[in-house]
Amino acid sequence: MSFFRLDGRKRTPLFVQLYEAVREAILKGELKPSTRIPSSRDLMNQLGVSRTTVVTAMDRLVAEGYLQSVRGSGTFVSCELPNESPFTLPTSARQAPAKQVNLDSPRNLELSEVSEYGHGLSSIDLATLATGSPQPFCPGEPALDSFPIEVWSKIVRSIWKKVNAFDLSYGEPGGQLLLKKSVAEYLQSQRGVRCDSSQVMIVNGTQQAVELVSRILINPKDKLLFENPGYVSARETFEKQGADIVPMRVDENGAVVDEGIQLAPKAKLAYVTPSHQYPLGVTMPIERRLELLAWAAKSGGWILEDDYDSEYRYGQNPIPSLQGLDTFDRTLYVGSFSKVVFPALGLGYIIVPRQLIPIFENALRLTSRPASQMDQLVLTEFIREGHFGRHLRRMRKIHSERRKAFVEAVESDLSEHLRIIGSMAGLHCTALLRQRRSDKNLVKKLTEHGIITRALSTFYKRSTNKQDHLNGLVMGFASATPSKIRKSLQLAAKCF
């Protein structure tokens, strides 16, 4: 069986490659019924893989009926193959000549074949989006290489030792009480949020929070003030709900609130990222915050404050939340643990005004999958034992060092091409292009060199005047070490 070729460079695990290769050889008749399969040690040596890889693949083939294990004699190809699985092609199809499909040039889908939303997705260049593993300059990636995995693993093991039947259920839709209390205490002390645990709704990340707000507060054709440029996923969520998006221009002080109010004084909701505007990275001053709160109180509108990566500020104190200034209870506050713990955790929260608590609780009961009970238990212990605070302090230091290395490297190698703005907070910087050129084409060129960034122009609402758009790169700095940052930016300089 040394003719099997396994490739460790592929994303498909080696045991899956071996399983598929043996199964295909059996189905094609290359391995005849009753053929004896070499021992796991022989296969390990022939194929140059671990014994675990071989045993895992063979066990699966035995379980599915392709192989038969005879005690004292070995493992053989079964004389009677299992019935066709719904996941495999019928024999006639396997024997027919394969139809050649050019995967490099797939045909364009007709609009009638998919939804308008689906048709729009077909035009996105996936190479410019986030990959499955942390990459230099990919926005929103924290320093995952510095996460205390052993500490987290220890808590996971301790939780599973004392788990009960309730912990394995769906749990309360709004989240576990101990976690809600921990989140409320953290936000009160660190972000100046005015809330108690009853207002905390634990959700599966920021995107679910935005979707809930959209479905609960927005009717089709309702006007909605939205930062321009702004967070694309949130904007598309509101558009999907039928909202009439009114773009608010963003300058060096964040969203220009008075212009937005003039355009839509009776807007149903305003979406803002005041502490660290996404993607420009600027901070909204107190005057504009008060102006926005006064509008909401007077008009009966709502404010959705997305406190995107506000925990990280460099060289200045954290800015208190807008919600903490709201004495009229018109602000919904959204946050996530993706940047302060790790993205795969997928937990976030909404702080809802008191009058909306029963509505959100019912919405979570009826329309959403509750956040994982086990993840909530582990996170609660992580916070209560003090690991969260220590981790956050350590991450602030690490991110500060990486930001410093990033800014210095850009100024050293790319200052004639890029001008950095919004670098005093968060996990990314926006670098404006000094020459007028296509930032989308530049992102594609950088991607070809393994450098993942975002084109600033893609964050603008498409219907707005393109002459008002800024061109640049949205670049994360937290996921790579200082040395990796410097090397990657030297490589990036060749693309300009």
Side-chain angles (χ1 to χ4, degrees), residues 247-376:
M248 281 193 297
R249 183 172 62 89
V250 177
D251 63 14
E252 65 276 8
N253 290 312
V256 184
V257 174
D258 59 347
E259 289 184 7
I261 294 173
Q262 288 177 16
L263 290 170
K266 297 295 183 181
K268 189 67 169 292
L269 183 142
Y271 172 93
V272 289
T273 53
S275 296
H276 185 228
Q277 201 277 333
Y278 190 75
L280 296 183
V282 296
T283 300
M284 181 184 288
I286 186 69
E287 295 80 11
R288 289 192 182 178
R289 295 176 184 230
L290 294 176
E291 187 176 11
L292 190 60
L293 290 169
W295 161 80
K298 181 179 179 180
S299 69
W302 299 100
I303 299 169
L304 177 55
E305 178 183 10
D306 186 345
D307 210 19
Y308 176 79
D309 67 11
S310 59
E311 292 85 358
Y312 302 117
R313 300 196 71 81
Y314 314 110
Q316 50 186 245
N317 293 326
I319 303 295
S321 68
L322 183 151
Q323 191 268 4
L325 300 171
D326 185 2
T327 57
F328 296 96
D329 215 15
R330 305 299 299 178
T331 303
L332 298 95
Y333 179 95
V334 170
S336 168
F337 289 103
S338 294
K339 308 298 184 291
V340 291
V341 183
F342 53 86
L345 182 61
L347 290 180
Y349 47 84
I350 318 173
I351 309 302
V352 304
R354 295 184 187 280
Q355 64 268 38
L356 294 178
I357 291 174
I359 298 175
F360 271 82
E361 286 180 340
N362 287 337
L364 286 166
R365 284 188 178 93
L366 294 172
T367 65
S368 302
R369 180 180 67 83
S372 164
Q373 284 270 82
M374 299 308 297
D375 287 341
Q376 289 187 64

Side-chain angles (χ1 to χ4, degrees), residues 42 52 85 147 156-157 188 206 272 334 413 449 459 472-473 491:
D42 287 342
T52 301
S85 163
F147 184 76
V156 171
R157 290 192 294 269
Q188 289 166 7
T206 299
V272 289
V334 170
D413 299 324
H449 288 76
F459 290 85
L473 303 175
L491 177 61

Side-chain angles (χ1 to χ4, degrees), residues 111-409:
L111 181 57
S112 60
E113 296 180 79
V114 294
S115 68
E116 290 185 10
Y117 174 70
H119 198 266
L121 291 176
S122 67
S123 64
I124 297 176
D125 183 1
L126 293 180
T128 65
L129 298 181
T131 59
S133 58
Q135 298 288 330
F137 314 135
C138 185
E141 291 281 1
L144 297 177
D145 56 323
S146 299
F147 184 76
I149 294 175
E150 284 301 318
V151 171
W152 187 270
S153 300
K154 183 178 179 181
I155 296 174
V156 171
R157 290 192 294 269
S158 69
I159 291 293
W160 275 104
K161 286 180 180 179
K162 54 187 178 183
V163 72
N164 57 44
F166 175 77
D167 296 330
L168 299 178
S169 71
Y170 287 110
E172 289 297 319
Q176 295 184 356
L177 180 59
L178 285 178
L179 179 57
K180 287 158 65 94
K181 287 182 177 179
S182 296
V183 170
E185 291 170 2
Y186 165 71
L187 294 177
Q188 289 166 7
S189 64
Q190 299 296 315
R191 302 295 303 123
V193 171
R194 300 156 61 103
C195 71
D196 59 41
S197 60
S198 69
Q199 295 174 261
V200 179
M201 303 291 159
I202 304 297
V203 293
N204 293 298
T206 299
Q207 192 58 33
Q208 187 191 21
V210 173
E211 289 176 357
L212 276 170
V213 172
S214 174
R215 296 175 69 178
I216 291 172
L217 298 183
I218 300 299
N219 287 316
K221 298 184 180 179
D222 279 346
K223 291 189 180 298
L224 190 151
L225 298 175
F226 201 94
E227 297 171 333
N228 196 41
Y231 181 37
V232 176
S233 295
R235 186 173 66 226
E236 289 187 345
T237 297
F238 287 117
E239 288 177 337
K240 185 172 63 175
Q241 188 64 22
D244 179 6
I245 303 294
V246 179
M248 281 193 297
R249 183 172 62 89
V250 177
D251 63 14
E252 65 276 8
N253 290 312
V256 184
V257 174
D258 59 347
E259 289 184 7
I261 294 173
Q262 288 177 16
L263 290 170
K266 297 295 183 181
K268 189 67 169 292
L269 183 142
Y271 172 93
V272 289
T273 53
S275 296
H276 185 228
Q277 201 277 333
Y278 190 75
L280 296 183
V282 296
T283 300
M284 181 184 288
I286 186 69
E287 295 80 11
R288 289 192 182 178
R289 295 176 184 230
L290 294 176
E291 187 176 11
L292 190 60
L293 290 169
W295 161 80
K298 181 179 179 180
S299 69
W302 299 100
I303 299 169
L304 177 55
E305 178 183 10
D306 186 345
D307 210 19
Y308 176 79
D309 67 11
S310 59
E311 292 85 358
Y312 302 117
R313 300 196 71 81
Y314 314 110
Q316 50 186 245
N317 293 326
I319 303 295
S321 68
L322 183 151
Q323 191 268 4
L325 300 171
D326 185 2
T327 57
F328 296 96
D329 215 15
R330 305 299 299 178
T331 303
L332 298 95
Y333 179 95
V334 170
S336 168
F337 289 103
S338 294
K339 308 298 184 291
V340 291
V341 183
F342 53 86
L345 182 61
L347 290 180
Y349 47 84
I350 318 173
I351 309 302
V352 304
R354 295 184 187 280
Q355 64 268 38
L356 294 178
I357 291 174
I359 298 175
F360 271 82
E361 286 180 340
N362 287 337
L364 286 166
R365 284 188 178 93
L366 294 172
T367 65
S368 302
R369 180 180 67 83
S372 164
Q373 284 270 82
M374 299 308 297
D375 287 341
Q376 289 187 64
L377 287 170
V378 176
L379 178 59
T380 300
E381 289 303 303
F382 190 69
I383 296 172
R384 285 164 59 86
E385 292 179 5
H387 303 299
F388 177 75
R390 286 190 290 273
H391 174 61
L392 186 53
R393 289 191 293 272
R394 184 165 176 260
M395 294 291 274
R396 282 172 177 155
K397 181 180 178 181
I398 292 170
H399 290 160
S400 179
E401 292 170 349
R402 295 182 179 188
R403 168 200 161 273
K404 183 173 183 288
F406 175 83
V407 172
E408 289 177 350

